Amino acid sequence: MANQSTRRGPDLQASAQFQKEGEARAWSVTARLNDRGLVLDYGRDQSVTWPYSALQADQRIDSRTAAAVITYPHMPGASVTIRDARLLAQLKDRAPQISKAASTHKLMVTAVVIALCAALVYGLYALASAPISRAIAGAIPVEARQSLGKQLTRSLVKQHGECVSPIGTGALKRLADRLRADDDALSKTTVRVVDWNIVNAFAGPGGAVFLTKGLIRAASSSDEVAGVLAHELGHAKALHPEAGMVRKIGLFAAIELLTGGTGGAAGLIGTQVIGASYQRGDEREADKLGVDMLRSAEVSHEGLKRFFERIKEKRARAAAKSGTTENGRTTASLLSTHPTPNERLRNMASIEGYASRPSMSQADWFALQRICSTTTKTPRRISP
């Protein structure tokens, strides 16, 4: 057994002292390195290998360390004392967790974890605040918001199908363009009709706005559809879907979105957006922004008011029938996640009149009502 350091290929070997807890005697061994770990030779053709990745040291090793005690967790109570600076330097390179740099990194990681925990505690309170959640929503990269909107669109279209009659989509685009006018904040919004029988409309992240077939069928005029669409565009302009999403999915998913990721958070988007419950202040803001759009486009807000009145009546009838429709399904309406129609009607009554003209031509309204005559769903083939 060697008593002094000697060369063995590119690596070193050195005498070391092996000891077990509870034993007074230390055993002389030869310590060397191979491609798997620290090898301790303690007898004729007898050795044990401690893998680099599992090694621990009583002190963090740097280029000036002359002696260190190395342990291996899978041999509790066992340790080897190495007093060879060159061997320790090579060991440090192959097992970086025992170096001083690793120690510093570990402290930094610990500090970051503590900071994140503190941020989480703060975030649980702060995210409930509209200004905070709105600020986070605004900081989410535009590309990430649009990516989430596209994922929501694909999910809805796959599940329900999109209404894509060419003359109907053309009429809808003209209406949306009239409401959006030259508003840069709405320039990237998309408006689609989903082949879905419920009476609903909602805005998703990235300016993805949806109307349902059920809503268009329930509307008695194009002004009613224009009013609902303006309200949802108001939500999109104010980033309410993104802010509500931040409040729903939590701090760490929000951090993922802030850094441009859409992985784990994206799986929550569909249910969170469709079932979103905006804060009362959000609804008031969307109402105001929607009416501002209607006024700028010279479209009467009376259509939206009439729609709320009919939804109120429909709710009352549904309640009288235990909340079900003729086909037994629970009645779903545009207002299922919004303030009550009574509150909306009171707000509408306070709006001063302004000059207006029909939101759509009769031809466009006729086309929009038939937008679902063509959908992305594969037509059912009837066997002869």
Side-chain angles (χ1 to χ4, degrees):
M1 187 171 293
N3 292 320
Q4 58 184 0
S5 300
T6 58
R7 287 281 184 185
R8 176 175 289 194
D11 298 321
L12 296 172
Q13 68 177 35
S15 296
Q17 299 296 313
F18 178 83
Q19 191 165 13
K20 281 190 175 183
E21 187 176 5
E23 294 185 6
R25 180 183 177 184
W27 302 87
S28 180
V29 298
T30 299
R32 58 184 175 85
L33 310 178
N34 67 10
D35 59 345
R36 294 185 299 116
L38 172 64
V39 182
L40 304 178
D41 295 321
Y42 57 89
R44 183 175 298 176
D45 297 326
Q46 292 181 315
S47 64
V48 63
T49 301
W50 290 359
Y52 292 122
S53 61
L55 296 181
Q56 297 178 357
D58 66 330
Q59 65 181 70
R60 301 306 172 184
I61 297 171
D62 63 15
S63 57
R64 294 170 296 179
T65 302
V69 177
I70 308 299
T71 57
Y72 177 48
H74 298 288
M75 289 184 65
S79 64
V80 60
T81 301
I82 300 175
R83 294 183 175 86
D84 187 286
R86 292 180 299 170
L87 180 63
L88 288 172
Q90 283 197 4
L91 184 60
K92 171 182 69 70
D93 293 338
R94 302 192 187 194
Q97 73 274 10
I98 65 174
S99 69
K100 281 195 172 179
S103 177
T104 303
H105 175 72
K106 186 174 182 180
L107 289 174
M108 290 177 63
V109 169
T110 302
V112 169
V113 169
I114 293 172
L116 284 176
C117 288
L120 176 59
V121 173
Y122 170 76
L124 293 175
Y125 294 96
L127 288 180
S129 165
I132 295 294
S133 57
R134 181 84 63 85
I136 295 176
I140 297 172
V142 174
E143 296 78 8
R145 287 187 247 150
Q146 292 177 338
S147 176
L148 293 170
K150 289 176 182 177
Q151 291 184 56
L152 173 59
T153 299
R154 285 194 295 269
S155 175
L156 287 171
V157 170
K158 181 179 179 180
Q159 184 174 0
H160 301 286
E162 181 182 357
C163 299
V164 291
S165 166
I167 59 172
T169 55
L172 179 62
K173 184 178 185 302
R174 284 187 286 276
L175 174 61
D177 287 345
R178 181 175 169 183
L179 295 173
R180 289 179 294 214
D182 298 322
D183 193 328
D184 292 339
L186 296 172
S187 61
K188 300 297 184 181
T189 54
T190 59
V191 182
R192 291 178 168 84
V193 177
V194 183
D195 188 15
W196 198 357
N197 287 325
I198 68 169
V199 182
N200 210 343
F202 42 89
V209 176
F210 305 90
L211 307 177
T212 66
K213 177 173 68 176
L215 182 138
I216 293 175
R217 285 182 174 178
S220 62
S221 70
S222 63
D223 284 3
E224 292 186 7
V225 175
V228 173
L229 178 55
H231 175 81
E232 297 304 328
L233 288 170
H235 279 308
K237 179 176 181 176
L239 302 181
H240 292 157
E242 289 87 345
M245 184 180 66
V246 166
R247 290 192 296 269
K248 285 277 188 178
I249 64 180
L251 181 66
F252 290 114
I255 291 173
E256 178 188 343
L257 297 175
L258 283 171
T259 57
T262 58
L268 302 170
I269 300 307
T271 56
Q272 299 300 345
V273 170
I274 297 173
S277 180
Y278 292 120
Q279 294 184 336
R280 194 171 297 274
D282 292 344
E283 290 300 340
R284 283 195 292 264
E285 184 177 18
D287 280 344
K288 181 182 182 303
L289 291 172
V291 171
D292 287 345
M293 284 181 223
L294 293 171
R295 183 183 290 108
S296 297
E298 296 184 344
V299 175
S300 174
H301 69 280
E302 291 294 328
L304 183 58
K305 180 181 176 182
R306 287 194 300 272
F307 189 82
F308 288 145
E309 288 172 343
R310 291 192 302 104
I311 289 297
K312 177 183 176 181
E313 295 172 359
K314 186 173 182 178
R315 274 187 165 182
R317 291 195 301 269
K321 295 181 180 180
S322 301
T324 58
T325 60
E326 291 83 357
N327 61 6
R329 292 186 178 181
T330 300
T331 300
S333 76
L334 167 68
L335 303 174
S336 60
T337 60
H338 293 56
T340 65
N342 285 335
E343 181 180 340
R344 284 293 172 72
L345 290 172
R346 286 195 301 270
N347 293 337
M348 289 292 164
S350 66
I351 298 173
E352 295 182 1
Y354 53 86
S356 62
R357 53 194 172 90
S359 58
M360 304 178 79
S361 67
Q362 284 298 320
D364 273 0
W365 174 228
F366 185 81
L368 182 59
Q369 288 177 299
R370 286 156 182 75
I371 191 173
C372 293
S373 61
T374 304
T375 73
T376 55
K377 291 180 179 178
T378 303
R380 180 186 296 179
R381 294 184 179 180
I382 302 176
S383 301

